[in-house]
Amino acid sequence: FQNAPIVFCGVNRFDNEMLAEHPNVTGVLEHGDFDSTLGIAMRLLPATKTVYVICDSTATGRINRLNFDAATRRLYPELRVEYLSDLSLAELAARLAALPSHSFAFFISFWQDGNGTSVSPNKLAPVFQGSRVPIFGRPEWMIGRGLVGGKCVSGKQQGATAANLAAKILDGTPVSQLPIVRHS
C-alpha cells in the first residue's frame, strides 16, 4: 500500500521513534492509569494492608508490572504488594477465593496462565466472580465479569476515536495535521 495513510489504536508501548520514517501514520495510544485506579481502591477500602496483583508473565504483563510497582511505591509505599502470577487458572481461583480481609485484588493481565495456556475473558470471569475481595483494574470489558472497575481503558472509545481520525483523512485532512491521541 506504499504511502497509504495508517490509523492505529490500542498501542500501549509507543515511542515516537517508531514513526520517525513513517509520516503517514497516526492513531490512538492506550494509556492505562494505575494511579487513579489505585486511588479509587484506597479511598473505598482505606484499611487495606495488601494488594494482590493478578498478572501474567507476558511481555505486556511484565511492563505493566513495572509500571504498577512504580505507582505503588510512589503513592502508597506502606501498601504491601503480592503478585498472583505463574499460577494455573484453578490456582488463581483458589487464591482469590481465600484472600484475607483488608485487601483487594488488582487485575493487570492474565491472558496466559503459568502453564502457558491461553486464558479468555470468558474463562477468567467465573474466577473473578469467586473472589473474596473486590478486584479493581483497567479493562472496561471485564466489568460485569467480576471486575469492580477503576479508571478503565475502553476499546470502544479508542476505536471510535481512531474512526474519527480515519474519517478526517478520508475528508482530505493530511495525516500531518492529526497528532497521535496520547490520552485515551
Side-chain angles (χ1 to χ4, degrees):
F1 296 101
Q2 300 220 342
N3 292 322
I6 297 172
V7 178
F8 64 81
C9 70
V11 172
N12 55 22
R13 288 182 284 178
F14 179 78
D15 182 329
N16 288 330
E17 288 298 311
M18 297 168 116
L19 299 182
E21 297 180 25
H22 305 284
N24 224 16
V25 178
T26 190
V28 183
L29 299 181
E30 181 173 300
H31 177 71
D33 186 342
F34 289 123
D35 294 11
S36 294
T37 301
L38 277 167
I40 291 165
M42 293 303 290
R43 276 193 304 279
L44 292 173
L45 303 165
T48 298
K49 305 290 185 225
T50 304
V51 58
Y52 293 87
V53 182
I54 303 161
C55 184
D56 60 24
S57 294
T58 63
T60 300
R62 289 190 307 268
I63 289 167
N64 284 332
R65 181 177 174 158
L66 292 172
N67 293 333
F68 186 85
D69 284 342
T72 54
R73 279 193 309 272
R74 185 177 66 257
L75 300 170
Y76 303 100
E78 73 287 352
L79 186 63
R80 185 169 169 256
V81 178
E82 186 173 323
Y83 282 90
L84 303 177
S85 57
D86 298 323
L87 304 171
S88 70
L89 194 58
E91 291 168 330
L92 177 62
R95 291 289 307 275
L96 289 173
L99 291 179
S101 57
H102 300 302
S103 68
F104 62 86
F106 197 108
F107 173 61
I108 292 178
S109 64
F110 200 84
W111 307 122
Q112 185 178 49
D113 73 6
N115 299 322
T117 304
S118 293
V119 178
S120 70
N122 289 337
K123 288 182 181 178
L124 205 51
V127 171
F128 279 17
Q129 290 164 344
S131 178
R132 186 166 181 249
V133 300
I135 301 174
F136 294 87
R138 302 175 307 152
E140 175 190 54
W141 39 269
M142 285 302 292
I143 295 175
R145 296 178 173 200
L147 186 76
V148 173
K151 186 168 183 183
C152 293
V153 171
S154 169
K156 288 180 183 178
Q157 184 62 43
Q158 286 179 27
T161 302
N164 286 331
L165 290 170
K168 288 177 182 179
I169 292 168
L170 292 172
D171 285 341
T173 303
V175 175
S176 62
Q177 293 180 15
L178 299 171
I180 292 170
V181 177
R182 296 178 182 276
H183 299 286
S184 61

